[in-house]
Amino acid sequence: MFPSRFDYSAPDSLDEALATLGQRADETKVLAGGQSLIPLLKLRFAAPATLVDINRIPGLDVLEESNGHLRIGTLARHNQLAADSLVGRRYPTIASAAPQIADPLVRNLGTIGGSLAHGDPAGDWGSVMLALNAEVVVRGPTGERRIPIDDFLVDIFTTSLNEDEIVTEVLVPQPEGSFGGAYLKLERKVGDFATVGVAVHLELDGDTIARAGLGLTAVGSRNIKPTNAENALGGNKCSDELFAEAARLAAEAADPVSDVRGPATYKRAVVEAYVKRGLAEARDQARARAGRT
Amino acid sequence: MSTTESHVHGIGQSIKRKEDDRFIRGKGTYVDDISLPGMLHMAILRSPLAHAKLVSIDTTAAAALDGVVAVITGADLAAHNLAWMPTLSGDTQAVFVTDKVRFQGQEVAAVVAESAYVAYDALDLIEVEYDPLDVIVDPRKALEAGAPLIRDEKEDQTDNRCYHWESGDKGATDAAFAKAAVVVSLDTHYPRCHPAPLETCGIVADVNPATGKATLHLTSQAPHAHRTLFAIVAGLPEQNIQIKTPDIGGGFGNKVPIYPGYVAATAASLLIGRPVKWIESRSENLISTGFARDFHMSGDLALDNDGKMLALRVKLVSDNGAFFADAQPTKFRAGLFHIVTGSYDMPVAHIEADGAYTNKAPGGVAYRCSFRVTEASYLIERLVQNAAYELGTDPAALRFKNFIKPEQFPYKSATGFEYDSGDYPRALELALEQLGYNQLRQEQKKLREEGKLLGIGIASFTEVVGAGKSKEYDIAGLKMFDSAELRVHPTGKAILKIGVQTQGQGHETTFAQIVASELGIPSEDVVVQYGDTDNVPYGLGTYASRSTPVAGAATAVIARKLREKGRTLAAHLLEVSEEDLEWETDHFSVKGAPDKKVSIQDVAFAAYTNMPDGMEPGLEGVHYYDPPNMTYPFGSYLVAVEVDEGTGEWKVRRMVAVDDCGVRINPMIVEGQIHGGLTEGYAIAAMQLIDFDEEGNCIGGNFTDYLIPTAWETPHFETHETVTPSPHHPIGAKGVGESATVGSPAAYVNAVVDAVRHLGVTNIDMPVTSAKVWQAIQDAKT
Ligand SMILES: Cc1cc2nc3c(=O)[nH]c(=O)nc-3n(C[C@H](O)[C@H](O)[C@H](O)COP(=O)(O)OP(=O)(O)OC[C@H]3O[C@@H](n4cnc5c(N)ncnc54)[C@H](O)[C@@H]3O)c2cc1C
């Protein structure tokens, strides 16, 4: 595995990184954890002239709550999110997804920003962020933009990020009321990309669903937000029938293709099964949380 | 084991592996670790198409790139008569394409350059024009009339059949079927999988232009056989070829064939006069080197009303890819598949096999398997399980009823094998007891009522390993014997040189243990050498679990011969007659006067310093062992799985394995072999597949698609043993390298099928993915 020749720079400020990127944006790639980019280079599927390594830029790995959000720096590693106690207490969907991504080696290096910027419909973070209604913060030559995740993800390996922009952080709204969440992932083995993944987030007011968020992995040309299912849940009381109906709607929103991981009909069936199971789990968590307070 | 014996660390002791120190500390030397002065690097251009005429190749731009030393095409090789080479099954295989491409990933050209980076840069600059042809990926379609001819270059080849082969008695089998009360059938595909050794294949070819000597550092499981074939292919004098295998990072059959890259790198070194290194990438290994299995099998089992087996009939089509390159004994075109009657007293059987050329990579190697025994074992164990369902009997009970009984050994099978020894009921009983089979069956019933799925699968396999005898078994004409040369130094330390190769099995430890037990030299004082054709005696190499049965026997025999010479020396030293001596563990003593003794070390010293008049000095010898028969390891594997009806996911709850490989030389190493095999068996059953689309594109050409289970998925194994020695092997040992890969896939699949059979499912082909389980349940429902 021998990549083509490339230039490499490792600036220690964001401005410098943006400047290097700006010089030949169409031939330059940002290098974060390298867990998607380096395989592409080694297989010679990608041959950028220059890599801008952002790992030495301070401050890009923040992880804190402020102004009603959880701020996740773009360089937050999957493992950091898996191990963080604030995330563990308050963001169960994130905490549940993180350890299911790839394997420990990849999780030590792979970043949330890199994962979202890569735009892989089989990436797990896209669905989690859709369920949580997150926003992606990006910086470019003309300043900063905040892009709702649903607008950020466009198509397979395509986002609304411009070539000369860098993702700096992800903002996740803080949960309200009693909440619960889960990420259910069907994989052929540990370290595999999802055959199907389902992200679930619920906020309850008593037993009424104040907010429901769902995201689907690997069943379309991008991560899917099944809004019909979310809408069906919102404002209603938790019940098995309601969850079954939402699961049916989510399966309808899924648009999988048949491939080595299984036929499309199968993937749809798994979406349905997982949405049902995920909602039940999120509800149980929320009830348990309500019981504690 | 007596305490006196234990201090020599011989047979039966779980001493630590001598080789692990260097592996654990990163001090091993693999082919890619070898770097020679002036060494060049080779990269291979492979065809993106599966079937296409080669119209033109333009290498101008590649050759002009800075750092490129040579670009080699099929035409260049043809000019030296090297464009084609013989395979191990008597076919020919293109080294580089000259006429047309026959599978995706086939070798088209190579670049030799000052660095690997430059070599790969130059590959991108070679321009090849192809003219696509119709592709055949299904071997059954390949055999249909009018299918496009893949091997159009072969004289007399008018279709895509690469062999037809039969075994057993057709007439008697048909007659038995005609009278049978019950016939159970199973159509199943044993899918194409790949040995996927951790280290890919590679070579450092070093042809010295001054001396003409070719030193080939090679990933080879059979260095001597490779040397002879190299001599034949390249027309080099055999004494000028030295094959050296450094440490080998796993073989599993993948490193038995000779690959085009080896030939090209050797030719390049010969022509350029500098060493040339070629190391495959992972994808190259998966898409172009020896695959395994790919058998479409159709089996019928005839039984009477009491469940007594009457006859077995199998028709199979093997997918051999573009070249018939199976590594297997010449006489047997479908390997030893005719062991398919398995552990059962089967009066008659008939097997009919047809091999097909397809537009896929060649191979058919014995992936941790004694030549197609895996496919055979899988088929019979699946059939027996289904027969039990059909008859409404318990699958264990049906096996007990039909097992070859201990007193029937040596047992002549309907297809001509002579099973050496076995106690099948004992192994299955032990496994059932360890699993708590009856309780589990009750739990299964209870869970079913609650809508939960639990399944129990059994496989009671019989292996056949240790080829030859040489009368019946040869590869490419080379008879399948093996050898050991033992040299005892004056100070009583020894070197053992063996004709077989180790690629992880632990020969450096276990073969020293055989010497320790037979000659009393502590195993730590015995260095085991292999894999350098200038140094070790001729042998056919390591695959098909043949090392211990053949070279292990040679080792025991030569050690015994030296011991007998030692007796003469001891008699001389003790001034008694040989008849007055007895041997124990590591010394001779005078009968009735145990204090009058000489150790094997004293004897060795005397062989060089104080031999009796007329005796040839020294204490060394070589033995070539031609086995009288194969050995027949066996065992029973039980698997319990839980299946999620909603998603088809299945998890192994218990896996109980009882193995009988005769006498265990190093029980820890045996356990390791079984753990590895059970893991590979699980991988094959659950997730592994080298798949192709209709255009012949290989799907599964890297580890994101060709799955290797991690510790997380791998079941917890509960291993147990029975010991039934081989009566004809000098130390009673049978091979164990492959039992678990051979036996376990059927156990896993039987377990999953058992969990869902009440829903109407009778078969799920491997790999048993969750998607397939779910689909089978849906299909059964409708
Ligand atoms: C074996 C293996 C298994 C995997 N399994 C999974 C899995 O199960 N689930 C899953 O979700 N992922 C999986 N991944 C992918 C992994 O999560 C990657 O870490 C992730 O997709 C990319 O993050 P990265 O930081 O490594 O990005 P990089 O590889 O460095 O970059 C990826 C892309 O994003 C761009 N980029 C990176 N950071 C920025 C930024 N701040 N601004 C703008 N552009 C940027 C790069 O230019 C590049 O195009 C797996 C990877 C491997 C190697």
Side-chain angles (χ1 to χ4, degrees), chain A residues 29-39 54 74 77-78 100-103 106 109-118 122-125 161 165-168 185 187 191-194, chain B residues 704:
Chain A
K29 278 275 167 198
V30 173
L31 176 71
Q35 296 307 294
S36 294
L37 186 53
I38 288 180
I54 58 170
T74 190
R77 316 280 161 178
H78 309 327
Q100 297 188 67
I101 296 174
D103 53 45
V106 173
L109 285 167
T111 67
I112 189 159
S115 182
L116 294 174
H118 192 51
D124 297 304
W125 284 133
L161 187 72
E165 288 176 318
I166 293 179
V167 174
T168 56
K185 179 173 176 178
E187 54 187 4
D192 188 21
F193 280 93
Chain B
T704 40

Side-chain angles (χ1 to χ4, degrees), chain A residues 79-273:
Chain A
N79 244 0
Q80 195 181 340
L81 291 161
D84 188 78
S85 65
L86 171 66
V87 170
R89 274 195 324 275
R90 309 243 313 138
Y91 300 89
T93 317
I94 299 178
S96 159
Q100 297 188 67
I101 296 174
D103 53 45
L105 288 77
V106 173
R107 290 200 291 273
N108 281 334
L109 285 167
T111 67
I112 189 159
S115 182
L116 294 174
H118 192 51
D120 184 346
D124 297 304
W125 284 133
S127 299
V128 173
M129 294 307 145
L130 284 169
L132 295 173
N133 280 341
E135 289 174 294
V136 181
V137 183
V138 310
R139 274 270 303 274
T142 55
E144 194 169 280
R145 297 199 285 154
R146 272 169 73 158
I147 312 171
I149 184 71
D150 204 15
D151 297 333
F152 183 82
L153 302 170
V154 175
D155 202 347
I156 183 160
F157 301 126
T158 312
T159 67
S160 55
L161 187 72
N162 295 325
E163 273 171 355
D164 56 1
E165 288 176 318
I166 293 179
V167 174
T168 56
E169 53 190 66
V170 180
L171 299 177
V172 176
Q174 289 179 18
E176 284 170 18
S178 51
F179 55 89
Y183 189 72
L184 288 81
K185 179 173 176 178
L186 177 69
E187 54 187 4
R188 297 170 301 174
K189 56 165 271 195
V190 164
D192 188 21
F193 280 93
T195 298
V196 169
V198 170
V200 178
H201 173 73
L202 278 186
E203 292 175 16
L204 298 190
D205 181 4
D207 218 21
T208 302
I209 300 171
R211 204 179 87 66
L214 295 171
L216 311 179
T217 309
V219 287
S221 63
R222 49 157 278 189
N223 301 77
I224 287 174
K225 188 170 178 66
T227 35
N228 283 351
E230 291 178 345
N231 293 341
L233 291 162
N236 285 310
K237 272 198 166 2
C238 292
S239 74
D240 289 348
E241 295 71 37
L242 180 67
F243 289 175
E245 173 62 7
R248 199 187 57 73
L249 290 169
E252 236 172 61
D255 186 19
V257 292
S258 300
D259 59 15
V260 286
R261 288 182 168 77
T265 48
Y266 170 62
K267 294 179 183 179
R268 254 210 191 88
V270 175
V271 168
E272 189 164 345

Side-chain angles (χ1 to χ4, degrees), chain B residues 672-748:
Chain B
Q673 290 290 317
I674 291 166
H675 274 242
L678 293 174
T679 306
E680 287 181 314
Y682 169 75
I684 291 164
M687 57 180 78
Q688 293 186 331
L689 176 65
I690 300 281
D691 204 5
F692 294 82
D693 67 14
E694 285 299 306
E695 275 86 54
N697 295 307
C698 178
I699 301 156
N702 55 54
F703 278 165
T704 40
D705 286 323
Y706 192 74
L707 305 177
I708 308 289
T710 69
W712 189 264
E713 295 79 37
T714 303
H716 173 74
F717 304 126
E718 304 166 44
T719 53
H720 303 277
E721 66 179 87
T722 60
V723 175
T724 312
S726 167
H728 64 76
H729 187 277
I731 59 168
K734 302 180 177 184
V736 74
E738 300 158 340
S739 292
T741 340
V742 166
S744 66
Y748 296 112

Side-chain angles (χ1 to χ4, degrees), chain B residues 83-95 102 106 151 153-155 157 321-325 357 362:
Chain B
W84 292 83
M85 62 179 189
T87 71
L88 295 176
S89 275
D91 195 2
T92 48
Q93 175 174 352
V95 179
R102 292 176 176 81
Q106 194 180 342
R151 298 299 301 279
E153 92 292 358
K154 279 181 94 176
E155 268 174 53
Q157 183 80 39
F323 307 101
F324 186 22
Y357 290 121

Side-chain angles (χ1 to χ4, degrees), chain B residues 347-372:
Chain B
V348 288
H350 183 247
I351 296 130
E352 213 179 320
D354 287 288
Y357 290 121
T358 59
N359 290 120
K360 298 181 188 170
V365 298
Y367 164 22
R368 215 165 179 179
C369 151
S370 186
F371 313 122
R372 307 292 191 179

